[in-house]
């Protein structure tokens, strides 16, 4: 059909042609997450997503945007043994090793020597493992051990794992908890929203030289419905629909042609069995902590943003383009949320406030303000790097309300609204069934049930460690942080109060069991937060704090 439409190539080829690259907001977030991980160094970065959602596209963008001082090793076929995995990594980095009689120790030693040399030369190394769900438990454990290659102050190897959703399930296994705890940023790439699908199809038509009316907006919405927002399926359906238009000597595609194309591409029951057709499968808030103006500068041209404008601007532009807020249904209170101040007469429905709530940066600014910090005045390329400049650390994850309430800290929340997609809000306080939520720069009181039905458990909270940069304490460690733990647990009378000995480990285990934490004896962020709650500082915003 190319000659029929007067073009040289199909606009919907599934080949990863960079000319057709379209970065949705979620792809921008995922890219920012990976760039943040590369810049921070150390530990793991995790990117997951359903088949066909664009993980490889994001990976290619990352490789193009890597700083000049970063060496990258890309492993595309990780169905390897531990020895083969190390050998493939050495091959990618140009490390020479004996092809016969190599051992894990020999390859690890050679890799360590190489990394030490490159580190001394001012270079950093990142290993990107695509399709990482194919790694077996032994290979994953070997990958974890690679992060032990370090100097006294720096990790020598940054590892990015990219895979399908089952990779998250693998990492949740008890035997892989040490690896999971070392993940410093994670992001789950959802399918495209309906408005993003419309823009995606229009973008590809434009690059190919076709007028947008060739696939009208109504037909694009129908393609979105069939494909569930999965770019690869969108391409296949639109490609087949254009072929159908050519066969009928028609200069545009209609909804019926999209239906026929979907039937041929997906089978006789379109919409069944595709994970991308429902709501997004849950996004780990590592990107919540990575959205930054730097990311917007890298990819903002595609959205028409001026260099230097952050995600907040893009979020507001996206909000303005969405459909207006519907009026309350009969019998529904127009105030479902009350303004936080008693003398504030604003009759704004809480659903309208939810629609106006937008970017991660705006929600983080509200969260930092609760700690007495001005987001705009803090240096950093990402929300969490700005928090770090204020002596705070980010803790992200997925949990139920009971877990969030137990940590008793104000938190940034990811909300999924059927009409408007992803929105970010800040949970300020929880007083019984009445919760204070910051939305679009204003606070509202909401019944818990009203907002929690849009919350899938994703959160980010801030905390202050006993000493800057502390993430974990293990048995055998010593120092003032161990003394701090002893003081919190009432175990300060030890002969060596700065040694994490077996007796202190038993106290930590008991503390973790009492508070439904994982009883592993490792004093990580969640345990540190709960210990800090025993004697919180004056500036720590607690959910349970009274007005």
């Amino acid at each position: 059909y190319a000659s029929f439409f007067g073009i040289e190539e199909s606009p919907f080829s599934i080949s990863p042609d960079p000319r057709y690259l379209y970065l949705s907001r979620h792809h921008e977030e995922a890219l920012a997450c990976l760039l943040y991980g590369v810049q921070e160094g150390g530990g793991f970065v995790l990117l997951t997503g359903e088949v066909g959602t664009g993980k490889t596209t994001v990976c290619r963008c990352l490789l193009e945007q890597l700083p000049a001082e970063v060496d990258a090793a890309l492993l595309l076929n990780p169905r390897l043994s531990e020895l083969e995995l190390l050998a493939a990594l050495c091959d990618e980095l140009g490390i020479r090793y004996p092809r016969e009689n190599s051992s894990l120790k020999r390859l690890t030693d050679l890799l360590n020597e190489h990394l030490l040399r490159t580190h001394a030369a001012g270079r950093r190394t990142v290993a990107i493992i695509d399709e990482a769900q194919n790694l077996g438990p032994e290979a994953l454990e070997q990958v974890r051990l690679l992060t032990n290659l370090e100097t006294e102050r720096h990790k020598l190897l940054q590892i990015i794992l990219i895979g399908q959703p089952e990779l998250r399930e693998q990492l949740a296994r008890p035997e892989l908890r040490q690896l999971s705890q070392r993940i410093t940023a994670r992001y789950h790439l959802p399918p495209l929203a309906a408005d993003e699908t419309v823009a995606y199809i229009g973008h590809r038509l434009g690059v190919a030289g076709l007028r947008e009316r060739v696939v009208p907006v109504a037909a694009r919405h129908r393609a979105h419905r069939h494909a569930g927002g999965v770019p690869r399926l969108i391409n296949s359906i639109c490609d087949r629909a254009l072929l159908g238009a050519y066969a009928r000597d028609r200069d545009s595609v209609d909804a019926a042609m999209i239906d026929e194309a979907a039937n041929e591409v997906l089978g006789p029951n379109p919409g069944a069995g595709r994970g991308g057709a429902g709501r997004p499968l849950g996004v780990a808030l590592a990107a919540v902590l990575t959205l930054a103006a730097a990311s917007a500068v890298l990819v903002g041209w595609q959205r028409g943003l001026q260099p230097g404008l952050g995600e907040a601007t893009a979020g507001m532009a996206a909000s303005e383009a969405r459909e207006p807020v519907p009026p309350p249904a009969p019998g529904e209170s127009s105030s479902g949320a009350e303004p936080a101040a008693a003398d504030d007469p604003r009759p704004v429905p809480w659903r309208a406030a939810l629609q106006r709530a937008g970017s991660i940066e705006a929600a983080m600014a509200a969260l930092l303000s609760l700690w007495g910090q001005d987001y705009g005045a803090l240096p950093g390329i990402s929300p969490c790097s700005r928090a770090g400049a204020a002596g705070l650390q980010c803790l992200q994850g997925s949990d139920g309300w009971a877990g969030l309430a137990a940590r008793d800290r104000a938190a940034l929340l990811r909300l999924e609204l059927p009409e408007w997609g992803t929105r970010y809000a800040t949970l300020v306080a929880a007083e019984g069934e009445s919760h204070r939520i910051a939305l679009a720069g204003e606070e509202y009181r909401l019944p818990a049930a009203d907002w929690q039905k849009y919350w899938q458990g994703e959160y980010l909270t801030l905390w202050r460690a006993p000493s800057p940069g502390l993430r974990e304490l293990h048995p055998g460690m010593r120092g003032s942080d161990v003394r701090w733990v002893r003081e919190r647990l009432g175990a300060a009378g030890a002969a060596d109060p700065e040694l994490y000995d077996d007796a202190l480990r038993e106290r930590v285990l008991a503390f973790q069991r009492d508070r439904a934490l994982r009883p592993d004896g490792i004093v990580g962020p969640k345990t540190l937060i709960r210990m800090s709650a025993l004697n919180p500082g004056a500036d720590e915003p607690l959910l349970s704090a009274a007005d």
Side-chain angles (χ1 to χ4, degrees), residues 74-150:
L74 177 61
L75 304 184
L76 299 174
N77 178 27
R79 197 180 291 274
L80 305 168
S81 68
E82 304 98 289
L83 187 62
E84 291 170 334
L85 183 69
L86 285 182
L89 187 56
C90 289
D91 289 337
E92 281 290 306
L93 294 174
I95 301 173
R96 303 182 65 177
Y97 61 92
R99 301 291 171 171
E100 302 292 335
N101 301 320
S102 291
S103 65
L104 289 175
K105 182 180 184 307
R106 177 58 175 158
L107 293 181
T108 301
D109 289 343
L110 290 172
L111 180 60
N112 189 45
E113 292 170 8
H114 173 85
L115 294 175
L116 286 171
R117 286 196 302 271
T118 56
H119 175 74
R123 302 191 62 79
R124 289 177 287 146
T125 305
V126 57
I128 305 170
I129 304 177
D130 201 2
E131 301 296 337
Q133 75 278 354
N134 293 322
L135 287 171
E138 295 81 9
L140 280 170
E141 174 62 13
Q142 182 60 52
V143 170
R144 181 189 71 82
L145 292 174
L146 290 177
T147 62
N148 290 334
L149 302 178
E150 58 189 358

Side-chain angles (χ1 to χ4, degrees), residues 214-410:
V214 171
V215 184
V217 171
R220 299 183 207 178
H221 278 288
R222 188 67 64 91
H224 173 81
R225 186 183 308 171
H226 286 299
V230 176
R232 187 178 298 165
L233 295 180
I234 294 170
N235 284 358
S236 297
I237 291 171
C238 289
D239 184 77
R240 185 65 187 82
L242 285 177
L243 184 61
Y246 159 68
R248 291 170 173 80
D249 198 29
R250 301 272 295 276
D251 63 357
S252 65
V253 168
D254 59 23
M257 294 179 193
I258 293 289
D259 291 341
E260 292 176 8
N263 187 62
E264 294 185 19
V265 170
L266 304 173
N269 186 22
R274 293 193 298 278
R279 299 303 307 157
L281 300 178
V283 182
L285 276 172
V288 169
L289 57 95
T290 61
L291 270 180
S295 168
V297 169
L298 290 173
V299 295
W301 57 268
Q302 197 163 9
R303 290 171 162 265
L305 298 180
Q306 298 175 9
L309 292 183
E311 179 65 18
T313 306
M316 289 187 288
S319 296
E320 293 170 358
R322 298 181 187 272
E323 60 186 275
V325 183
E332 179 183 353
S333 169
S334 65
S335 62
E338 299 176 1
D343 59 352
D344 189 340
R346 293 164 300 163
V348 181
W350 70 271
R351 283 167 57 81
L354 281 172
Q355 187 199 19
R356 293 208 317 274
S359 73
I360 292 168
E361 288 192 325
M364 178 64 92
L367 183 58
L368 277 168
S369 70
L370 299 175
W371 289 83
Q373 300 295 328
D374 182 355
Y375 181 87
L378 293 169
I381 63 169
S382 70
C384 275
S385 64
R386 296 192 187 212
L392 302 171
Q393 297 190 47
C394 290
L395 173 67
Q396 60 179 358
S398 181
D399 207 341
W401 169 247
L404 194 62
R407 276 185 283 282
D408 197 19
R409 290 294 186 279

